[in-house]
Structures are given as C-alpha cells and as structure tokens.
Amino acid sequence: MTGVGTRTRAGATGVALRSGTRALAAWRPTPYTVAGTAFWLLLAVVAWHTPIASDFGQHASAVQRVRDHPWHPANPLLKEPGTDSPYYSPYIVALGLAARATGAAGWQMVRWCGPLNLAVLVAGVGAYARTLSTRRAAPVYALLAFTLLWGVEGKEWSGFCGVWSLTRGASYPSCFAVGLTFLLWAWTDRLARRGGTAWQYAGLGAAAGVLLLVHPITALAAAVGIAATVAARQHGWSRRVAGRWALAAAAAVAVAAAWPYFDVFSLAGDTTVDQVHRRLYTHPWQWYGLALAGVPALAWRAARTRLRDPLVLMFAADGAIAVYGWFSGHYTYGRVFALLLVPLQFGLAVELAAAPPWTRLRAALVPPAAVALCFALAAQIGSVVPQSWLPVATRHPARWPDYRWVADRVPVGDVVLTDESIPMHVLPAYGLYLVAPTWPDPSTPAADRDRRWSDTTAYFAPSTPPARRAAIAHTYGATWLLLPPTRLPPAPATLTATSPQTGEHLYHLTPPKEAKP
C-alpha cells in the first residue's frame, strides 16, 4: 500500500509539473509587457548614470535631513529648522527612514528610487490606457505618445515625463506622483464602472491624500482627472453612490490634514515659486507643440461621446487651470501642463489602436502622428543615445561636473559659501548647507531669503570691508569657500583641494569664532 501511495503522489506531482510547464509554455507576454520593460530598462540605465544635477540635490538633501533627525529635520538647504517645509512629504520621509535603517546616504537613496519610480510610471500608463481601450496596442501607443509627444525641443522640468526630462527626473518625487496619478485614475474608473466596498473608496481617497502630500500641483491635476472620470463613467447615481465618493474625498482630506511635518493646505495661495514657473508659459510650441497631433483624435472623441468622455472633460478643466495661472500671475499652476497633454497624447494613442486600416479616421490621424513622432525623436534621442552614435548637430543634455571631491573633504552638516549656480544645486545632495537657498522654500520667509542672497553678494563684492566679510561668514556658520579657478578668495583661507575636472578651488575659511563680527 505504501508503494501504491508513493506512486500515486509521484504521479500527481508529475501531472502538476507537466500542467505548470504547459501553462508556462502557453504564456505569452503582452506587447505592453515587452515595450514597457524595454522602456523601463533603457531609462533606468540612462538615469542611473546621469550625474547629479538640477533638483536632485534638493531632494537628496531633504532625505539626508530626515535620516539625521527623523522627527525634526533641518531645512534642506540652510542651517536652520525645517519646520513646515513642504519638502518633507511621505515620499521623502520614507526614503529618509530607509536611509537611517540601512546606513545609506541621502543621495544614494534618491538614486536608487529612479528604477522604482519608472516602474510605477510604466505600470500607471498601462493601467490607465487599458481603461480607455481594450486593444492590446493601446498601452504601447500611450507610452510612446506620453513620453515623446511634447515639444520640438527636449526640455527638462520636474514632473514633465518626456524622455529627455525623465533621464534626470526619474528619481524625483514628481515622477512617482505622476505614476501614482495614472494608477488612481485607473482605480477610479474601476469603481465608477463596477462599484466597490466602502473600504475601496476610502483606500482611493487615502492614496489621493498621500499624492497631495507628495506633489501638491500634480495632485491638483490628478483630482481633475478623478472628477472627470467619475462624471463620465459613473451611472445610476444614488444616495449610496454619492456617499461612497464623499467618503473617498473625506479620506483624502483626513490623510493630508493628519500629516505632522507641514500643512499642505497652506500652499493653496502661496506665491513663493510663481516666478520660477513663469517659464512654463514662455515657449509653448517648443515645449508642448507636438502634442497637438492629438487634437483630431480628441475632437473625434468629443463628437462621438457628446462630451461625456473623461479625456475631453479633463482637457477642458486642466486647460482652464493653466489659463487661470497665466492671467492671475500664479504661474505655478502652469505645472498642470505635465498632465494637460495627457488627453491629447492618450486620445491619439487609443484612437490609433482602435481605428481599422484605411478608414477616414486613420487617414486623419496617421500623417500628423508620424510627423510629430519624427520631430519628437529628433528632439529627444540625444538624451538616451551616446553622442558618438549620432550626428554632431544632435543636442544632448548638459552633463554637470561631479562634486564628490568636495563631499569627501567637507563633513556633512558644514556650510559652504559659494555663489556659483551648479555647485549650489549639487552640494546639498551630499548633506552640505548653503548660505543662500538655490530654490525658494515656503518655510523660509522671503525677507530671510533676500537677506541671505544680499549677504552672499556682499561677501564676494571687492568693495566689502574684511570685517563685514568675516561677520557674514560668522552669522551663517560658513567654514568653507568654493570658487571657480579664475577667482581668488576674498578673505583669508587655506586651499584644501582643486577639482581635477573643472579646476574649482575648495578653501577652508578662518573659523568663525576667531572672526570679529
């Protein structure tokens, strides 16, 4: 009997193995699995090898501050308290706690987030495209349109997910926020069509609250998309259905209000970064022009659905926000351009996937899409293909110099005095403080920011008396000076190191306690 039982179990195991083998052999990856994986791999490798630049230093510095003091992190850039700084979002705090647990530096944690954020983005694009079309090619077209159809000039901006921008911004919170936005839209579509439990609605709201804390301006566009999806997809309104959506909204507000690091709702009327974002309106054709290839598709959808289409409603609402930002002077609202183009890009993608060959619709969509794609490749290919493989005239993103040579000599938490733009962006990545902030932080009063910049300018001015210079260094606790190779230190200092790449000089200043204020 034992032998019979053993043979029976062995036979069952063999049948299970053969069934599993047949199922594995029958499985075929979808077109989007192949395209999405290839896109993820390419961008992850390029982003990983891109030098620290732009906003990277600000985010890495914030992670480092949380790593050092989780409950009361200092200001990301300045040696002062970071109370109420909106940089301390759940995204940054989570990375800071992970850095504290693993012993990694802040810049290392931000670097490692690039592949994760890209995976969230690729998953989100696929999930949302599938709510708009059942065609297998639709998500592939959507990924191509969303990352290529921007402007005739490759441009980098946080939250703008063109290929050019993603090579640097993949590790930023904004990339994660855009990916999460697509997932929330797909989640909303599912609930609007099929309904769900109260917990599912509350979960959607809680996730939206997290998004609001991670990247508020992206959350505004995400809320527009959620509202557009509910308006277009929800049928059979009742008191129960309305109550479920009210529960989702309440959960979002509750999660955002409960966050202890800053009050996100206080940012609604804040004008701190408005002037920084004025540039989003200055060259619309160069930045967004190729997305106009999706206008015929969006118009077709509007006519076919009598305006009850989520993409049409979303485009109208986001467009109104962008216009308001221009006429009101609150140029920060121009950040909605990052998702304002989605209806054009995704509308073109799903209609191309759905239109049969040789129809009037396809004849109207294919030529402008093909022309736009050619311009897009010409504009952005230099961001992912090495310069030696392309014509000399092809543009490539500027590769910023490495400042590890400074970080190896200056302890974390020391203050470096410099007025050069590139090191002011990069040095905070290694936990170093500045005298004047690179980017305005709403937690630092405008008067304080202006005073710091005025003092920095005065320090390097030839006419400034030595006593005034010493007082400035003492006031901000600056003990290091970084200068380009053509400038001499304006105060007594000891040359510590020279950059082998740029020739910049690092000096150690006289300790502030020895200087007379």
Side-chain angles (χ1 to χ4, degrees), residues 340-359:
L340 170 62
L341 305 188
V342 164
L344 298 172
Q345 296 160 335
F346 276 59
L348 176 62
V350 297
E351 294 305 326
L352 278 176
W358 313 117
T359 63

Side-chain angles (χ1 to χ4, degrees), residues 417 454-474 489-492 515-517:
L417 226 173
S454 177
D455 287 345
T456 300
T457 301
Y459 186 90
F460 291 105
S463 59
T464 302
R468 169 69 173 141
R469 258 191 215 103
I472 292 172
H474 178 74
K516 294 182 180 181

Side-chain angles (χ1 to χ4, degrees), residues 103-391:
W107 68 271
Q108 292 173 318
M109 291 305 304
V110 174
R111 177 78 78 188
W112 294 340
C113 271
L116 173 62
N117 291 350
L118 286 170
V120 174
L121 182 66
V122 170
V125 169
Y128 184 58
R130 283 189 287 271
T131 69
L132 300 170
S133 173
T134 58
R135 302 283 183 169
R136 288 163 61 88
V140 178
Y141 291 170
L143 182 63
L144 290 173
F146 179 62
T147 57
L148 290 176
L149 297 186
W150 288 79
V152 295
E153 177 181 313
K155 188 63 179 177
E156 175 193 354
W157 200 279
S158 176
F160 286 44
C161 293
V163 170
W164 185 289
S165 188
L166 282 175
T167 57
R168 279 187 178 165
S171 57
Y172 299 172
S174 56
C175 179
F176 174 82
V178 173
L180 179 58
T181 294
F182 284 125
L183 293 174
L184 292 182
W185 289 348
W187 191 350
T188 302
D189 187 273
R190 186 168 59 253
L191 290 178
R193 289 176 183 270
R194 306 174 188 173
T197 66
W199 285 108
Q200 290 173 321
Y201 284 87
L204 172 66
V210 171
L211 174 61
L212 177 60
L213 293 166
V214 171
H215 211 250
I217 196 65
T218 297
L220 174 62
V224 167
I226 289 174
T229 301
V230 173
R233 303 298 198 199
Q234 181 68 59
H235 298 284
W237 280 95
S238 65
R239 183 177 299 178
R240 178 176 175 274
V241 170
R244 292 289 172 86
W245 288 117
L247 174 62
V253 172
V255 168
W259 186 244
Y261 289 88
F262 66 94
D263 178 11
V264 69
F265 300 107
S266 68
L267 300 176
D270 191 272
T271 61
T272 302
V273 293
D274 278 341
Q275 289 306 312
V276 173
H277 292 97
R278 183 184 176 91
R279 285 185 292 165
L280 295 176
Y281 290 93
T282 55
H283 300 291
W285 168 250
Q286 293 179 9
W287 287 33
Y288 323 115
L290 298 181
L292 295 177
V295 169
L298 196 64
W300 169 264
R301 292 178 67 88
R304 186 179 59 194
T305 61
R306 297 181 181 179
L307 302 181
R308 282 189 58 87
D309 181 273
L311 294 180
V312 174
L313 297 176
M314 192 188 311
F315 184 72
D318 282 336
I321 293 173
V323 170
Y324 167 77
W326 170 253
F327 283 104
S328 67
H330 294 309
Y331 301 113
T332 304
Y333 286 105
R335 295 287 292 266
V336 300
F337 278 114
L339 294 175
L340 170 62
L341 305 188
V342 164
L344 298 172
Q345 296 160 335
F346 276 59
L348 176 62
V350 297
E351 294 305 326
L352 278 176
W358 313 117
T359 63
R360 184 178 301 176
L361 175 61
R362 180 172 286 270
L365 295 181
V366 170
V371 171
L373 184 61
C374 290
F375 276 103
L377 289 173
Q380 302 203 53
I381 194 171
S383 63
V384 293
V385 177
Q387 191 165 2
S388 59
W389 298 4
L390 296 171

